[in-house]
Amino acid sequence: MFWVRSHYGRVRFVSIVMKHLAGALGLWTAFAALGCSSASIELPSGTGGTGLGGGSPQGGAGSGGTSGPPVTIDLDAAVVAQPDLASSEPLPDLTGYQCDEVGNCTKCDPVRILSLGQPAQYGANSGTTDSTQDFQLFMKDNTNGTATMTMQESPVSITADLLSNYDVVILQGLYTNVYDPNGIWKFTSTDATALHDWVNDKGGALIAMSGYFSDNSVEIGPLNQLMAPFGITYDADTTFTQSDCPNPPGLCYCAYGSYPFDNWTTAVPDITKNLGKVGVFMARSITCPGADCQVVAIDNVDASAVTKNLGVAKQVGNGRVFAWGDEWVTYTSQWGLKPDPTYDDASTYQQCVGFTPHTSYTVPQFWYNVFRWVAHTSCLTIIVPPTAGSVPQIVY
């Protein structure tokens, strides 16, 4: 006896067994009701049915069978014994496995994420009422044990030994103090090579973001050092500013200042599946030439952008790279996990109905898609609380 490691397979197996037990018991009961104290049934030759193995041996169990000798069932001898549950094989423990609908299962080890750099700090109201808490906590506490995130907020050498402990690396604000020239992180060609080789040879996953500081010449320097071996460059421009906000003028305040972006392409469906809007503000465009670079998000509002690429994805050897031109998808204000007491109150802010993160943004879905694609995993899960708004999110 064996078990298919799938909830679906288990249900199908039990269903078939129960159907045939019910059929045999039904016949037995029917004959007893007719007053038969002894009876037998002769089934015609070729009876195979589904799963009883009639016909010739070549018919197999459940194959439909072929012609063969008649099958006789002695109802007096058809005693159905109660199963010995104590000695039967226990159900398999599927904890930590991800199974598809046909019974294929994969052992799910947690996706190990390293966040390299300072988390974003200039969100809603210039950062006075915003944080990146949801981004960090969701990857730690709301992934049902399928992901862990380590925050590395001080400079560190990028080596093969360091990277061997992780499946995903996120490049955030690569500085300690943007106002101090010595506070900008500096990397060597050895660091960049180690990161590239980890992705290319070991199948590592890399995510990069920009827009952490308004001085673009400072902010993109160390980032471009590490992205150069992948053929990806962050441009020294600023896109999705306040002047780009949709009509009526200034409506971005309903989303704490961010632009409601949703101009996705179909180049990588796994990244853009079920995505609605996400917030973007003071972003960078991305230069990524070559046919192997897939553009997943296009800037369709800012004429001053060096390129129109807001998000790109790339297969690099055995690994994958995703570059996003902004950092506002990390801010707590953008996740829309609960209604805002001000902007989601239709009695006082009717103009904001349908324009707040709670009612229109899909940031949890964005990260769910990105992590699963870049890490090439079907195991990662993000649990969204029931207060997360009316926009469908995290569709499995």
Side-chain angles (χ1 to χ4, degrees):
M1 177 179 181
F2 68 93
W3 286 99
V4 178
R5 285 192 175 273
S6 166
H7 296 292
Y8 302 98
R10 191 183 306 169
V11 170
R12 285 197 294 266
F13 176 80
V14 172
S15 175
I16 292 171
V17 171
M18 290 304 295
K19 179 174 68 174
H20 294 299
L21 282 177
L25 289 173
L27 287 171
W28 194 3
T29 302
F31 275 90
L34 293 175
C36 299
S37 60
S38 177
S40 64
I41 305 173
E42 182 174 295
L43 302 180
S45 62
T47 301
T50 305
L52 285 177
S56 68
Q58 289 79 12
S63 64
T66 58
S67 62
V71 178
T72 301
I73 300 176
D74 184 351
L75 295 182
D76 289 327
V79 178
V80 180
Q82 293 296 322
D84 183 1
L85 297 179
S87 62
S88 62
E89 180 183 349
L91 297 180
D93 181 5
L94 294 180
T95 303
Y97 282 84
Q98 183 83 7
C99 301
D100 61 22
E101 66 278 2
V102 297
N104 299 315
C105 294
T106 303
K107 181 69 169 67
C108 290
D109 294 319
V111 177
R112 303 165 300 168
I113 304 166
L114 172 65
S115 172
L116 193 60
Q118 298 294 320
Q121 51 188 307
Y122 295 101
N125 299 321
S126 298
T128 59
T129 60
D130 213 349
S131 70
T132 59
Q133 184 179 28
D134 283 326
F135 178 55
Q136 298 168 42
L137 289 181
F138 259 67
M139 294 302 106
K140 285 185 175 181
D141 302 332
N142 288 66
T143 55
N144 200 27
T146 61
T148 61
M149 179 179 279
T150 300
M151 305 297 294
Q152 178 65 44
E153 299 180 23
S154 58
V156 63
S157 295
I158 301 177
T159 65
D161 286 343
L162 171 70
L163 297 172
S164 67
N165 297 307
Y166 301 100
D167 306 300
V168 181
V169 170
I170 306 174
L171 302 180
Q172 297 211 62
L174 301 177
Y175 54 78
T176 302
N177 182 352
V178 291
Y179 299 103
D180 179 1
N182 295 319
I184 307 300
W185 293 10
K186 296 177 176 61
F187 296 101
T188 67
S189 59
T190 302
D191 295 314
T193 298
L195 185 62
H196 175 270
D197 291 349
W198 172 72
V199 173
N200 186 79
D201 302 337
K202 304 298 184 181
L206 178 64
I207 298 172
M209 290 181 286
S210 186
Y212 288 81
F213 188 65
S214 58
D215 187 341
N216 50 51
S217 63
V218 171
E219 196 249 348
I220 66 175
L223 183 60
N224 281 337
Q225 276 186 282
L226 296 179
M227 297 302 289
F230 301 101
I232 297 174
T233 303
Y234 281 87
D235 302 316
D237 57 10
T238 303
T239 63
F240 293 98
T241 62
Q242 187 69 32
S243 61
D244 294 321
C245 285
N247 289 321
L251 197 59
C252 286
Y253 68 77
C254 297
Y256 311 95
S258 66
Y259 180 93
F261 177 85
D262 63 353
N263 194 39
W264 310 107
T265 75
T266 58
V268 186
D270 286 344
I271 294 179
T272 56
K273 179 182 178 181
N274 301 311
L275 271 185
K277 298 181 178 67
V278 301
V280 180
F281 186 62
M282 303 288 283
R284 315 272 182 242
S285 63
I286 301 171
T287 296
C288 185
D292 58 341
C293 189
Q294 304 295 314
V295 178
V296 299
I298 296 177
D299 178 355
N300 59 342
V301 300
D302 202 315
S304 65
V306 174
T307 72
K308 295 298 183 181
N309 304 332
L310 177 63
V312 300
K314 196 172 187 179
Q315 181 82 35
V316 179
N318 295 319
R320 290 175 172 179
V321 178
F322 176 76
W324 184 247
D326 195 44
E327 93 289 10
W328 271 63
V329 285
T330 67
Y331 284 124
T332 298
S333 67
Q334 305 297 287
W335 283 61
L337 300 182
K338 58 184 178 180
D340 182 87
T342 301
Y343 298 127
D344 282 304
D345 185 350
S347 64
T348 56
Y349 278 87
Q350 179 63 37
Q351 67 271 32
C352 287
V353 173
F355 291 95
T356 67
H358 182 66
T359 56
S360 66
Y361 281 8
T362 57
V363 172
Q365 185 75 55
F366 172 87
W367 282 115
Y368 174 79
N369 291 357
V370 168
F371 275 116
R372 285 168 66 98
W373 179 83
V374 76
H376 209 182
T377 179
S378 61
C379 293
L380 187 138
T381 298
I382 293 180
I383 308 299
V384 179
T387 58
S390 58
V391 178
Q393 298 187 356
I394 316 303
V395 179
Y396 301 97

